[in-house]
Amino acid sequence: MLYREAGDFKTSYASDNQTFPIRFDRYAYWVVMAVAFLVLPMVMNDYWANSIVVPFMIYVIAALGLNILIGYTGLLSLGTAAFMAVGAYATFKLSTAFPAMPIYLVFILSGLVTSAVGVLFGLPSLKIKGFYLAVATLAAQFFLIWLFTRYGWFFNYSSTGQISMPERSMFGVTITGATASSTAVYFTCLIFTVAMAWLARNLTRGQMGRTWMAIRDMDIAAEIIGVNPLIAKLSSFAVSSFFVGVAGALMFGVYLGAVEAGEAFGINKSFLVLFMVIIGGLGSILGSFLGAAFLVVLPVLLKILLVDNLGWPADLARHLEIMIIGALIIIVLIAEPHGMAALWRTIKEKLRLWPFPH
Amino acid sequence: MLDQPAEGYVTADGRQIGPVVLELKNITLRFGGVEAIKNISFDIREGEIRAIIGPNGAGKSSMMNVISGFYVPQEGEILYKGYKRRKMPPYQVARTGIARTFQNIALFEGMSVLDNIMTGRMNLMKSGFLKQALWWGPASREEDEHREKVEKVIDFLEIQHIRKTPVARLPYGLKKRVELARALAAEPQILLLDEPMAGMNVEEKEDMSRFILDVNDEFGTTIVLIEHDMGVVMDLSDRVVVMDYGKKIGDGTPDEVRNNQDVIDAYLGVAHE
């Protein structure tokens, strides 16, 4: 009796409302946590950590943020990378201006700064929606990147126009900078990812999430019921930007170490995160994980397969990889327009009854 | 009508009707050059079932939208619980205890039935942003308390079996019922029902009529009802307003309205000849 809800009686509303109503899922969740916290750091080498696991986790946070905005509130944004840049530059400014500040606090404050910027650029959402809003957020993308490359104050007037993360440690462990160990980086990202996913789940399961979804599904009815659209939309922008800002802060602080706004946070990155959310599943926390995994892991796997194993030239493999991923995106969207999370849901429904068809 | 005392009375079937709770005075609503509502006044008493009837395009739904704050009339005033209601957005009107359902179902299709009904309790839930983010103690406890109230509504409307079903999968009749549940979850003083029985078969209409009467009887909710089924309207309501081309042409008990010559001419017309 692996995947069954029969016999798993719920006797309180709290237990009926829990995140994983099926016992098997709950065990699976703890197993994943144990593997992530205990097993992976032991067995993983630096290559896997740096090329797959760390970017995966950072993109998960960004995808969670964008999913709150698009998937839960129905507000389309193309400015994700610019908001990541805000997080990154806030981290740079904060950690250079206050060297003694604990670095985790810097990341969180950077998220809050991004939140404020997000609310500012979210203001048009009160009047416009859909494609028009997407274009308005596109303005944020170009304006912010222009601002960060143009005004020296943002990169401390460095001659290259780049920002590079100074070395910072917490409790004697170096977390940022060139000498940070990959274990420290891994755990930093893991702690943030788990905490952010937990926050996202809490915010979307309760009153807040229902307010957002009500706006998404039918904004007029939501308003008649008592949703203040101003607060609902701006809070969604604030929370979403907070997540995206933290992702940007981590991307700059612990992953890349040195960035130049136009290069690291261009429109391509906005689209990448958008694809993650769409492929993973709009309005699903799990979907953000699946989408990020799909788009981070797949290129690496393809590269390993084509270049390392089959010995193809790297540039040929690179082009083929783009084609394969493009095709896969289309296939996934045709097969399951609601993303991989919906695919997973269907599998689960089948599993509940397995081996019987009904 | 004139013999009804201001402080309230008891109906023939023993329901307590209170004093006037909502009064509309000389309401005029225009869309550009079109006058959708022309200088209409009527009142709604506490605990009564008040129907608004009229042919298509008479302005009934516009009237409903005026009451729920979605349209702001150019002229006239609304007195709610004795005070003039200032101009306010619909979500604030909802907070004053007025809930409604829609002619074309306006449920949140992407959410489960339970979540839809829980949104009805939006204005009664107090947990702040941070408490919800942490989901410790207060927020989670509040969720469970409100869930209990919502479960009572679910029991009341007999929709236990579809509690966790996404709304998009439900048939029409059940959607209407879920929408009523969402409005009821808000524990409104006045419940506005815009054609709650449109497109239903006889059995579904009977169910819905029973629910409307039960809501009124058990919770003492004042109900304002737009409906085209004359049999239902005449059976359910205490008083009826009749509208035609934006004007009020009749107002009174079902019997008075039925015998009003203007109403017969304009609306019931030859059907009753």
Side-chain angles (χ1 to χ4, degrees), chain A residues 18-74:
Chain A
Q18 62 189 334
T19 308
F20 301 107
I22 292 179
R23 195 180 285 132
F24 182 81
D25 276 344
R26 286 200 290 283
Y27 295 145
Y29 167 74
W30 287 112
V31 169
V32 169
M33 291 296 253
V35 168
F37 274 97
L38 303 172
V39 182
L40 261 187
M42 306 279 216
V43 299
M44 195 171 47
N45 61 26
D46 281 6
Y47 172 75
W48 279 88
N50 287 331
S51 69
I52 294 186
V53 181
V54 166
F56 162 69
M57 291 191 288
I58 292 171
Y59 279 118
V60 164
I61 299 176
L64 281 171
L66 191 62
N67 216 335
I68 285 173
L69 195 64
I70 300 183
Y72 283 97
T73 325

Side-chain angles (χ1 to χ4, degrees), chain A residues 13-14 16-17 198-199 202-203 205-230 235 239 349, chain B residues 68 70 89-91 94-95 100 102 105-111 115 118-120 122-123 125 129 132-136 143-144 147-148 151 164 169 182:
Chain A
Y13 292 130
D16 191 44
N17 264 342
W198 180 71
L199 279 182
N202 286 345
L203 284 173
R205 78 197 295 190
Q207 195 48 41
M208 202 88 188
R210 285 192 293 267
T211 311
W212 291 337
M213 289 189 278
I215 288 282
R216 171 195 69 189
D217 286 345
M218 196 170 275
D219 50 357
I220 291 175
E223 203 180 347
I224 298 267
I225 276 179
V227 176
N228 182 342
L230 180 110
S235 67
V239 172
E349 275 178 25
Chain B
S68 66
F70 193 63
Y91 65 87
R95 284 170 201 181
R100 70 169 292 178
F102 295 80
I105 300 167
L107 286 169
F108 307 123
E109 296 268 323
M111 299 156 73
D115 277 344
M118 287 292 281
T119 55
M122 186 140 317
N123 299 319
M125 294 179 79
F129 173 77
Q132 285 184 50
L134 298 178
W135 205 254
W136 256 322
E143 179 92 357
D144 294 341
R147 172 76 187 272
E148 206 172 322
E151 287 293 339
K164 297 263 170 102
R169 282 193 207 164
R182 184 180 66 183

Side-chain angles (χ1 to χ4, degrees), chain B residues 27-100:
Chain B
I27 300 287
T28 298
L29 176 73
R30 291 187 207 95
F31 299 107
V34 182
E35 278 197 329
I37 299 174
K38 292 168 193 152
N39 195 23
I40 286 189
S41 308
F42 66 93
D43 57 26
I44 296 160
R45 282 167 172 269
E46 208 174 290
E48 77 175 341
I49 300 180
R50 188 80 150 115
I52 304 176
I53 61 171
N56 287 328
K60 308 181 295 295
S61 288
S62 296
M63 201 69 216
M64 199 75 102
N65 283 329
V66 166
I67 299 175
S68 66
F70 193 63
Y71 291 154
V72 180
Q74 278 80 11
E75 285 163 38
E77 57 185 32
I78 299 168
L79 295 163
Y80 182 48
K81 295 179 184 166
Y83 296 98
K84 184 172 186 277
R85 191 167 87 187
R86 63 185 169 81
K87 206 177 141 186
M88 55 170 78
Y91 65 87
Q92 283 185 1
V93 173
R95 284 170 201 181
T96 63
I98 297 181
R100 70 169 292 178

Side-chain angles (χ1 to χ4, degrees), chain B residues 44-267:
Chain B
I44 296 160
R45 282 167 172 269
E46 208 174 290
E48 77 175 341
I49 300 180
R50 188 80 150 115
I52 304 176
I53 61 171
N56 287 328
K60 308 181 295 295
S61 288
S62 296
M63 201 69 216
M64 199 75 102
N65 283 329
V66 166
I67 299 175
S68 66
F70 193 63
Y71 291 154
V72 180
Q74 278 80 11
E75 285 163 38
E77 57 185 32
I78 299 168
L79 295 163
Y80 182 48
K81 295 179 184 166
Y83 296 98
K84 184 172 186 277
R85 191 167 87 187
R86 63 185 169 81
K87 206 177 141 186
M88 55 170 78
Y91 65 87
Q92 283 185 1
V93 173
R95 284 170 201 181
T96 63
I98 297 181
R100 70 169 292 178
T101 66
F102 295 80
Q103 186 174 357
N104 312 312
I105 300 167
L107 286 169
F108 307 123
E109 296 268 323
M111 299 156 73
S112 70
V113 168
L114 183 63
D115 277 344
N116 263 282
I117 304 174
M118 287 292 281
T119 55
R121 296 196 68 80
M122 186 140 317
N123 299 319
L124 303 165
M125 294 179 79
K126 299 280 177 281
S127 279
F129 173 77
L130 273 180
K131 278 183 192 150
Q132 285 184 50
L134 298 178
W135 205 254
W136 256 322
S140 134
R141 214 162 37 234
E142 186 182 42
E143 179 92 357
D144 294 341
E145 282 162 16
H146 286 269
R147 172 76 187 272
E148 206 172 322
K149 299 266 171 57
V150 163
E151 287 293 339
K152 287 198 179 114
V153 176
I154 290 177
D155 279 351
F156 183 77
L157 293 178
E158 298 161 18
I159 46 177
Q160 298 94 332
H161 57 296
I162 51 164
R163 198 185 273 131
K164 297 263 170 102
T165 317
V167 163
R169 282 193 207 164
L170 296 179
Y172 180 82
L174 279 178
K175 278 188 187 174
K176 281 270 185 196
R177 215 187 281 179
V178 173
E179 206 187 9
L180 177 61
R182 184 180 66 183
L184 275 184
E187 298 177 6
Q189 272 120 33
I190 300 182
L191 178 61
L192 312 174
L193 303 174
D194 197 346
E195 299 203 19
M197 288 162 230
M200 286 188 170
N201 61 31
V202 175
E203 204 173 322
E204 287 169 330
K205 276 183 188 176
E206 279 171 357
D207 279 346
M208 190 53 95
S209 304
R210 182 163 53 85
F211 289 134
I212 292 173
L213 287 173
D214 282 353
V215 168
N216 176 258
D217 203 25
E218 284 190 29
F219 308 131
T221 311
T222 308
I223 289 173
V224 182
L225 175 78
I226 293 180
E227 186 48 53
H228 277 299
D229 187 318
M230 279 310 118
V232 169
V233 169
M234 296 303 173
D235 275 356
L236 289 189
S237 44
D238 297 306
R239 286 189 300 159
V240 182
V241 177
V242 191
M243 289 175 72
D244 192 22
Y245 291 111
K247 289 191 294 253
K248 184 169 100 169
I249 56 171
D251 188 356
T253 62
D255 282 335
E256 286 169 345
V257 166
R258 202 178 280 142
N259 299 323
N260 181 327
Q261 193 55 45
D262 285 340
V263 176
I264 294 170
D265 289 349
Y267 183 54

Side-chain angles (χ1 to χ4, degrees), chain A residues 31-350:
Chain A
V31 169
V32 169
M33 291 296 253
V35 168
F37 274 97
L38 303 172
V39 182
L40 261 187
M42 306 279 216
V43 299
M44 195 171 47
N45 61 26
D46 281 6
Y47 172 75
W48 279 88
N50 287 331
S51 69
I52 294 186
V53 181
V54 166
F56 162 69
M57 291 191 288
I58 292 171
Y59 279 118
V60 164
I61 299 176
L64 281 171
L66 191 62
N67 216 335
I68 285 173
L69 195 64
I70 300 183
Y72 283 97
T73 325
L75 302 168
L76 193 51
S77 165
L78 294 177
T80 319
F83 293 130
M84 287 175 83
V86 173
Y89 277 77
T91 299
F92 176 69
K93 290 303 288 184
L94 284 169
S95 57
T96 48
F98 309 101
M101 195 186 278
I103 189 68
Y104 278 28
L105 183 63
V106 169
F107 291 147
I108 292 168
L109 286 180
S110 303
L112 292 176
V113 169
T114 317
S115 226
V117 177
V119 168
L120 194 66
F121 282 96
L123 285 174
S125 72
L126 303 176
K127 284 286 167 203
I128 53 179
K129 45 189 174 182
F131 291 118
Y132 303 98
L133 179 63
V135 172
T137 56
L138 203 57
Q141 170 76 43
F142 289 113
F143 171 72
L144 288 169
I145 298 300
W146 172 81
L147 192 69
F148 291 144
T149 44
R150 182 85 212 281
Y151 283 92
W153 182 81
F154 289 106
F155 47 88
N156 284 1
Y157 306 100
S158 79
S159 53
T160 53
Q162 276 198 336
I163 52 171
S164 42
M165 189 67 200
E167 196 173 297
R168 294 283 178 270
S169 49
M170 231 173 58
F171 307 119
V173 183
T174 311
I175 288 167
T176 65
T179 57
S181 71
S182 62
T183 314
V185 168
Y186 172 79
F187 272 107
T188 302
C189 289
L190 183 62
I191 289 167
F192 270 97
T193 308
V194 171
M196 299 296 259
W198 180 71
L199 279 182
R201 163 67 186 156
N202 286 345
L203 284 173
T204 51
R205 78 197 295 190
Q207 195 48 41
M208 202 88 188
R210 285 192 293 267
T211 311
W212 291 337
M213 289 189 278
I215 288 282
R216 171 195 69 189
D217 286 345
M218 196 170 275
D219 50 357
I220 291 175
E223 203 180 347
I224 298 267
I225 276 179
V227 176
N228 182 342
L230 180 110
I231 289 177
K233 286 179 179 173
L234 291 188
S235 67
S236 172
F237 261 100
V239 172
S240 162
S241 307
F242 176 73
F243 278 65
V244 172
V246 169
L250 287 173
M251 177 156 281
F252 161 66
V254 302
Y255 180 54
L256 296 174
V259 300
E260 196 269 316
E263 205 178 291
F265 300 111
I267 182 91
N268 284 347
K269 196 144 284 177
S270 290
F271 279 115
L272 181 65
V273 181
L274 181 65
F275 290 153
M276 285 174 182
V277 172
I278 293 175
I279 292 172
L282 290 167
S284 156
I285 303 288
L286 177 70
S288 307
F289 280 84
L290 296 176
F294 187 80
L295 286 181
V296 170
V297 177
L298 201 69
V300 178
L301 290 183
L302 278 175
K303 184 169 162 287
I304 291 173
L305 178 74
L306 297 177
V307 180
D308 301 350
N309 287 349
L310 296 177
W312 291 17
D315 54 342
L316 179 66
R318 174 98 197 103
H319 288 132
L320 202 69
E321 176 199 310
I322 294 173
M323 290 162 68
I324 291 175
I325 289 177
L328 276 175
I329 290 174
I330 295 171
I331 290 170
V332 168
L333 289 184
I334 290 175
E336 185 48 86
H338 297 292
M340 293 163 77
L343 214 58
W344 174 238
R345 236 185 334 264
T346 319
I347 295 172
K348 279 209 302 198
E349 275 178 25
K350 294 242 190 297

